[in-house]
Amino acid sequence: MQRWGEYFFHTPELDLDDDQRDLLRQRYNAQADKGYMFKSDDLTCYYTNPEMLVGIYPDHIVNEIAEKFTGYEFLVNDGEVDVHRDRIRFACLAIPIYNDDELELEFWDEERKGVIERLDYGHKTWIMRTQTPHGVSDKATKPRAFWQASLHGQSFDDIMHQYHEGKLFR
């Protein structure tokens, strides 16, 4: 049960400038050239790890990401994403790499009858709740790619509380 009534929060300390995004794009392209680790109708995932963030963020931030999160991937989508709940992870850290269409992520009510919240990623970094039904109903004209880290073993509310108390990424 969610305590805070929020579905996502912005982490401005992790927003990338153009040079940082270009470096992460280069690392993504190198991984994509090696082949995918998972592919479905909606998504393609490529292996990654926190070391991909070295030289982009200060070492203490890379270390915190590695300590708090597990399961890292470059997630790519070039179409709609059906409304779903993530099966295993409670939340994810999402860093946009390519998001030219600027499609919104939609959070749905439990019965999946209507959208209750929308997230416009822009080029900002977010932590989002993934146990709430969510998806992307618009079709991208260009592939969207994100570096993602999964949160297991803690709830979205716990990580949000840590962040708001200044105990994360400071």
Side-chain angles (χ1 to χ4, degrees), residues 53 61-69 72 93 147 149 169:
L53 304 176
I61 298 241
V62 174
N63 291 338
E64 272 191 280
I65 291 170
E67 290 168 10
K68 295 283 184 186
F69 295 86
Y72 314 97
L93 168 68
W147 188 95
F169 310 135

Side-chain angles (χ1 to χ4, degrees), residues 20-71:
Q20 292 169 316
R21 191 172 320 283
D22 285 344
L23 182 54
L24 193 54
R25 284 177 177 168
Q26 290 170 20
R27 293 174 181 177
Y28 157 70
N29 290 330
Q31 285 301 106
D33 287 344
K34 294 178 183 179
Y36 62 84
M37 65 178 203
F38 170 79
K39 188 169 181 68
S40 71
D41 291 339
D42 295 340
L43 306 168
T44 305
C45 295
Y46 300 91
Y47 172 77
T48 189
N49 56 51
E51 287 79 33
M52 293 281 180
L53 304 176
V54 170
I56 293 173
Y57 296 123
D59 289 346
H60 77 278
I61 298 241
V62 174
N63 291 338
E64 272 191 280
I65 291 170
E67 290 168 10
K68 295 283 184 186
F69 295 86
T70 57

